[in-house]
Amino acid sequence: MNDLYDRHRAVIPDWVALYYRQPIELTHGEGRYVWDASGNRYLDFFGGILTTMTAHALPEVTKAVSEQAGRIIHSSTLYLNRPMVELAERIAALSGIPDARVFFTTSGTEANDTALLLATAYRGTSQILAMRNSYHGRSFSAVSITGNRSWSPTGLSPVQTLYVHGGVRTRGPYAQLSDAQFIEACVADLEDLLGHTHDVAALIAEPVQGVGGFTSPPDGLYAAFREVLERRGILWISDEVQTGWGRTGDHFWGWQAHAENGPPDMLTFAKGIGNGMSIGGVVARAEIMNCLDANSISTFGGSPVTMAAGLANLTYTLEHDLQGNARRVGGLLIERLRAIGAAVPAVREVRGRGLMIGVELVRPGTDEADPEAAAAVLEAAREGGLLIGKGGAHNTSVLRIAPPLSLTVAEAEEGAAILERALRSI
């Protein structure tokens, strides 16, 4: 393992982060479990950053990939592609967006980059609204709309970005307000911001901020924002890269918690739909999607193999009601973690919905973020046989818990018990 780590450091950039003091190599997985090169088994509560959505080595997906690879692996979008059209049809119907068109990419970063291209071309302006504490990807344009300093390595930008209040409910200047007052204050802030700027192309927002530590506004905030945006013709892009496909339990898409004024103009997706295969994409109304007046293709977006995986994975998700499972098992897990957190002084808050749960750690008796404690819990959890993630605006002091949506009640209890021991160890 040390040899592989040394080889990694010799050829991979320093800024490609690795978890754990002694990084692990995952060699195989099954269901909700994975194994490392030393033979240790772990319960996976992070799913390759919310990407292994259904299960590791899901037979339906591996079979679809194998069969398609045996026929043809690649063709590009220059040729008709049956699996791509079939998956696009299903996603368009599920999106809630009228007269929807779907463009496939290879990642969430590329999906958000495409959405920015469409919005700025459609509106004829390069001004973008984004949420504070947000994360939208790794590309130059995606970094330029990322409101989380830990993931924004440059201030240079191809667009002008203005940041809006509202993504974090329990910190910031409006934290002490009621939900209704919070929404009112954030809407007033948005109105004021728009009164001091030129035309804006779009607001892009995660319904639940992923890298930001699984924070979210009160339900209805983006519906209230939508009223303000529509009066000015400004588009709403819902970044569903982490919240889509039923992970939040209550809804299939995160935007549906803010649905009073209908669906967004665009939504972006990735991660879970491929269950590990590289799929991203944008759904938009036809008039927006078709606004580009130059040629464009995708070499790898819509690959027959990844589309076959997406179709099999989506079918499994719907037929086995994994959204309902996320709601039921996630509800039990979050209450169990809240009970644990109440007895651990370092836990400031346990939050989330469905199987998208954040545990925020602080120095006891304060509101001061404690990234060292989060790192220590991450290590202790791994030693106990549990893989989790971390994130947050305050120096990655939030533990991120996002297991595959097929998680059982017994596995939820197993993971909670390991995490309880890890939290108490600090």
Side-chain angles (χ1 to χ4, degrees):
M1 186 58 63
N2 287 336
D3 174 61
L4 183 60
Y5 182 35
D6 291 341
R7 289 163 60 192
H8 178 281
R9 294 178 64 189
V11 294
I12 305 299
D14 291 346
W15 40 264
V16 175
L18 286 168
Y19 273 170
Y20 309 119
R21 288 188 296 269
Q22 295 182 324
I24 59 176
E25 176 193 2
L26 300 181
T27 57
H28 62 287
E30 182 177 348
R32 275 69 56 196
Y33 293 90
V34 292
W35 284 258
D36 68 16
S38 299
N40 299 306
R41 188 184 81 157
Y42 305 94
L43 179 58
D44 186 2
F45 265 30
F46 202 38
I49 320 177
L50 290 81
T51 300
T52 305
M53 180 176 77
T54 45
H56 290 280
L58 186 71
E60 289 82 351
V61 172
T62 57
K63 180 174 183 287
V65 169
S66 177
E67 289 180 351
Q68 180 60 52
R71 291 190 292 269
I72 186 169
I73 292 177
H74 177 71
S75 63
S76 88
T77 56
L78 289 171
Y79 304 92
L80 288 173
N81 178 335
R82 189 173 299 275
M84 182 176 72
V85 172
E86 290 176 351
L87 185 56
E89 288 171 339
R90 299 192 67 180
I91 292 174
L94 288 165
S95 73
I97 294 175
D99 196 21
R101 300 294 186 272
V102 182
F103 179 77
F104 288 105
T105 66
T106 60
S107 69
T109 291
E110 190 187 350
N112 285 330
D113 189 81
T114 302
L116 292 178
L117 171 65
L118 290 169
T120 53
Y122 182 78
R123 291 278 293 147
T125 173
S126 61
Q127 289 212 95
I128 298 291
L129 300 176
M131 304 304 294
R132 299 182 185 187
N133 192 47
S134 59
Y135 175 81
H136 297 287
R138 186 200 49 77
S139 70
F140 187 39
S141 66
V143 163
S144 72
I145 56 167
T146 287
N148 186 314
R149 176 64 184 86
S150 300
W151 293 87
S152 183
T154 177
L156 301 175
S157 173
V159 296
Q160 182 179 358
T161 307
L162 305 169
Y163 291 100
V164 182
H165 280 298
V168 181
R169 177 66 185 90
T170 62
R171 286 187 180 271
Y174 306 147
Q176 304 309 313
L177 301 177
S178 69
D179 283 354
Q181 291 169 331
F182 182 92
I183 291 174
E184 183 180 356
C186 291
V187 169
D189 173 72
L190 175 61
E191 292 265 24
D192 182 70
L193 180 64
L194 292 173
H196 295 280
T197 188
H198 299 290
D199 285 348
V200 171
L203 164 72
I204 185 167
E206 306 156 274
V208 179
Q209 294 183 331
V211 168
F214 292 170
T215 64
S216 60
D219 288 357
L221 174 75
Y222 293 118
F225 277 6
R226 183 73 182 279
E227 291 185 16
V228 176
L229 301 175
E230 279 192 324
R231 290 198 298 268
R232 296 166 171 82
I234 300 170
L235 304 178
W236 171 28
I237 305 167
S238 185
D239 180 341
E240 300 278 353
V241 169
Q242 296 195 32
T243 53
W245 318 112
R247 176 163 291 279
T248 64
D250 292 333
H251 305 100
F252 192 75
W253 304 107
W255 68 260
Q256 290 170 319
H258 309 269
E260 290 91 335
N261 295 310
D265 299 290
M266 283 189 268
L267 68 81
T268 58
F269 62 84
K271 290 194 182 289
I273 182 59
N275 204 44
M277 299 297 284
S278 298
I279 304 176
V282 183
V283 188
R285 297 198 319 271
E287 64 178 301
I288 298 171
M289 186 69 81
N290 294 333
C291 76
L292 302 183
D293 60 0
N295 293 329
S296 192
I297 63 165
S298 181
T299 303
F300 293 108
S303 151
V305 172
T306 61
M307 297 295 97
L311 278 165
N313 197 45
L314 180 58
T315 297
Y316 186 93
T317 298
L318 296 173
E319 290 184 350
H320 292 79
D321 188 23
L322 294 193
Q323 177 186 334
N325 193 66
R327 181 177 62 254
R328 293 185 295 272
V329 179
L332 294 171
L333 180 57
I334 195 169
E335 290 308 314
R336 176 81 168 87
L337 294 177
R338 282 175 174 156
I340 294 167
V344 177
V347 175
R348 177 181 183 267
E349 182 183 23
V350 177
R351 57 178 175 255
R353 49 201 320 168
L355 286 172
M356 194 172 186
I357 303 169
V359 180
E360 184 177 349
L361 302 183
V362 293
R363 292 181 170 82
T366 75
D367 252 1
E368 184 181 350
D370 195 343
E372 292 82 10
V377 174
L378 199 78
E379 294 283 354
R382 183 197 62 78
E383 291 169 9
L386 179 71
L387 303 185
I388 57 176
K390 61 179 181 175
H394 301 278
N395 300 310
T396 59
S397 61
V398 179
L399 307 175
R400 292 207 289 160
I401 297 163
L405 303 188
S406 57
L407 186 75
T408 67
V409 171
E411 290 162 347
E413 178 54 39
E414 177 189 351
I418 296 171
L419 189 56
E420 180 175 14
R421 291 192 293 272
L423 285 164
R424 291 186 182 279
S425 74
I426 64 169

